[in-house]
Amino acid sequence: MTPTLAQLLAAGEISRLDAHFGECVARLGAGDLDDAGRADLATLAALASRATAAGHVCLPLAEIAGAPVLRAATGDDGPSERGDEAARAALGTLSWPALEAWQAVLLRSAAAGDGSRVTPLVLDASRRLYLHRLWEAERELKAQVSRRVACPPDAVDESWLSGALRRLFPRGADDIDAAVEWRALACLVVMTRRFAVVSGGPGTGKTTGVIRLLALLIEQAFAAGKTLRIALVAPTGKAAARLQETVDAQRGQLPVPESVRAALPRETTTIHRRLGSYVTGFYYGRDNRIPYDIVVVDEASMVDLPLMAHLVGALED
């Protein structure tokens, strides 16, 4: 027996918004489904909505099909609300339908497709169920990143870069046993790529490393008789302010010419502001690129998928 939306809602496994979304999708896209099929469609739509609210891009049907309801719905994120204990106990003996049964419901429904036409739900070849907006954003981001990864980088003077990295990341006596200076390696990777992700835990020096990276890029551009247009952005005003504080604090400590220090950005903004956000969209996008050579996104893990897709799509090639 598959749990109903009412049971899931009472148990706190979905929110009211998830339930309303599921009902709407089942009402508008049931097609020739019978009552049981419509109920399954409503549940699938509600669970996809729930996954999105929990910060996931999609609902991996192959992972939860046939699994106990409470374990599958709760996952690592916990239920939307604690819910009624009796309602939760009633779900304790239930499992989700088999993957084949769920696939059959989606294939017969007008509310789901493979992305070739606009439908509320998209089921991909790996049996991941998306809300259409997130499926589209993921596909767009993948295409934008792939294009830039494939684009050959500018030539780098290896001798200069080696010396500059040693100057900016000097190894002290305490570092003699360290196998790798990870910030220097990150800079080396970014200097030879069109697109890069720098990751690490708190306190590992990501931001200070990126500031030295910008100094390297500015120094390299000056040597070639160029100047760089650099934008520093973050997902929130608080994160942007912290980034600017770090840049300002590090500026005077860099072992670089004063002209390079002066060229470091003096303004950090939110992504929305840099893209020119207004009520119905953004000023900058694929048809009107933002005028920067380098864009640094701090706290990138906080950026939602549609916004990141739009930002990368707005970058110059």
Side-chain angles (χ1 to χ4, degrees):
M1 175 182 172
T2 305
T4 64
L5 290 183
Q7 287 177 301
L8 293 170
L9 183 59
E13 291 302 309
I14 60 173
S15 69
R16 291 186 183 278
L17 178 61
D18 301 330
H20 283 305
F21 178 72
E23 291 169 351
C24 181
V25 169
R27 185 170 61 252
L28 298 178
D32 61 353
L33 292 174
D34 57 18
D35 289 344
R38 282 193 289 272
D40 280 345
L41 177 61
T43 299
L44 284 165
L47 292 178
S49 174
R50 170 74 179 97
T52 301
H56 302 297
V57 176
C58 62
L59 180 69
L61 293 186
E63 293 181 17
I64 69 171
V69 167
L70 288 185
R71 186 184 70 181
T74 302
D76 295 330
D77 303 294
S80 304
E81 301 172 4
R82 187 57 193 168
D84 179 75
E85 289 299 331
R88 294 184 63 77
L91 294 183
T93 60
L94 301 182
S95 295
W96 295 118
L99 179 59
E100 294 74 15
W102 262 345
Q103 284 184 247
V105 167
L106 292 168
L107 291 174
R108 294 204 311 272
S109 166
D114 60 3
S116 58
R117 57 189 177 89
V118 178
T119 54
L121 304 174
V122 176
L123 182 67
D124 74 1
S126 298
R127 303 304 178 256
R128 294 174 296 215
L129 188 64
Y130 290 80
L131 302 187
H132 188 275
R133 177 169 174 261
L134 292 182
W135 175 83
E136 189 173 44
E138 183 179 81
R139 186 180 62 162
E140 173 68 13
L141 181 59
K142 178 184 177 181
Q144 295 287 354
V145 171
S146 296
R147 191 171 83 242
R148 286 172 173 80
V149 168
C151 186
D154 294 331
V156 177
D157 183 332
E158 294 182 8
S159 177
W160 165 82
L161 180 57
S162 177
L165 287 172
R166 289 191 179 94
R167 171 165 40 89
L168 283 164
F169 299 98
R171 306 298 295 276
D174 294 338
D175 302 325
I176 195 167
D177 293 327
V180 179
E181 168 45 87
W182 291 104
R183 292 176 301 175
L185 181 58
C187 287
L188 177 63
V189 170
V190 177
M191 292 287 289
T192 56
R193 300 290 189 278
R194 291 289 187 190
F195 181 92
V197 176
V198 178
S199 66
T204 51
K206 298 184 298 296
T207 306
T208 54
V210 168
I211 293 167
R212 283 164 170 72
L213 164 66
L214 293 178
L216 278 172
L217 290 165
I218 292 168
E219 206 172 315
Q220 178 183 239
F222 281 178
K226 302 176 183 178
T227 57
L228 292 177
R229 303 165 298 171
I230 302 173
L232 302 180
V233 299
T236 67
K238 186 176 181 179
R242 284 199 306 267
L243 176 58
Q244 189 61 55
E245 289 170 3
T246 305
V247 173
D248 293 340
Q250 292 286 320
R251 192 187 306 272
Q253 304 174 21
L254 295 174
V256 295
E258 182 58 36
S259 59
V260 174
R261 293 194 193 99
L264 285 168
R266 296 185 178 275
E267 180 187 28
T268 303
T269 68
T270 63
I271 298 172
H272 282 84
R273 183 179 175 191
R274 183 58 65 205
L275 287 172
S277 174
Y278 58 92
V279 176
T280 58
F282 296 99
Y283 179 75
Y284 292 109
R286 279 190 296 175
D287 297 325
N288 184 30
R289 307 296 181 90
I290 52 177
Y292 293 97
D293 304 300
I294 299 166
V295 176
V296 176
V297 185
D298 199 27
E299 300 287 359
S301 62
M302 296 170 57
V303 186
D304 68 45
L305 179 59
L307 180 59
M308 185 64 82
H310 190 93
L311 173 63
V312 177
L315 300 179
E316 293 187 352
D317 292 340

